[in-house]
Amino acid sequence: MDFLLFAIFFVTCGAAGATGAAFSPGPWYERLEKPSWTPPDWVFPVAWTAIYLLISFAGARVAVMEDSGYALAFWAMQAGFSTLWTPVFFGLHRLKAALYVMAPLWLAVLACTITHFQIDTWAGLAFVPYLIWVTVAAALNFTVWRMNPDEPSVDLSKL
């Protein structure tokens, strides 16, 4: 594996993950009604760190292989939607709108999993935890939206 490529993919993940620091959950999220199966707070940074390491590994593996164009395009797509979801959900408090970001994110991660498997088994396997995680995140986003239907979003006119 090319470690410079791994570093490039990992820095990209870090940039996407930086939105989590910029738009942290905070008191707003803490007071929302959430389902009993919501993971504890400590799970999120652990899960994301593992996912970022795994998908950086996957990206670095397939980047040097033939016919990796679609796999890399879907990798970029998931990074973009992953970066967008956090400010929509945590920054703007738009629970329903976040679902409109989550849907293409989930599809991009599924497409990554499939296209990476087509090129390299280890790269495909590296995406499986992310697919599971984004599935749980989508269900959690949906359930939190349903449990908090009257939650106001951030008024952009007051910014």
Side-chain angles (χ1 to χ4, degrees):
M1 181 176 60
D2 184 325
F3 288 102
L4 181 55
L5 275 173
F6 173 83
I8 291 168
F9 281 102
F10 194 65
V11 166
T12 302
C13 288
T19 60
F23 301 98
S24 61
W28 167 79
Y29 181 73
E30 290 172 13
R31 71 174 172 72
L32 290 176
E33 282 191 60
K34 291 178 276 308
S36 61
W37 48 268
T38 302
D41 292 344
W42 66 266
V43 170
F44 291 89
V46 171
W48 278 114
T49 300
I51 287 165
Y52 288 158
L53 287 167
L54 287 167
I55 68 172
S56 296
F57 163 82
R61 281 188 66 92
V62 303
V64 297
M65 296 181 176
E66 285 189 39
D67 299 324
S68 62
Y70 284 104
L72 294 175
F74 285 124
W75 200 104
M77 184 180 181
Q78 67 75 27
F81 282 109
S82 178
T83 303
L84 181 60
W85 183 87
T86 301
V88 173
F89 188 90
F90 289 116
L92 298 174
H93 304 171
R94 298 196 178 204
L95 306 177
K96 185 177 180 182
L99 290 168
Y100 292 109
V101 177
M102 183 60 76
L105 171 58
W106 189 89
L107 289 171
V109 174
L110 175 64
C112 277
T113 306
I114 293 167
T115 56
H116 281 67
F117 260 122
Q118 290 172 337
I119 297 167
D120 180 74
T121 301
W122 289 110
L125 286 170
F127 261 95
V128 171
Y130 189 12
L131 183 59
I132 293 167
W133 183 254
V134 80
T135 300
V136 171
L140 184 58
N141 185 163
F142 178 79
T143 306
V144 169
W145 168 63
R146 295 294 297 211
M147 293 176 81
N148 300 274
D150 299 322
E151 183 62 32
S153 58
V154 171
D155 184 354
L156 295 176
S157 68
K158 294 182 180 182
L159 295 179

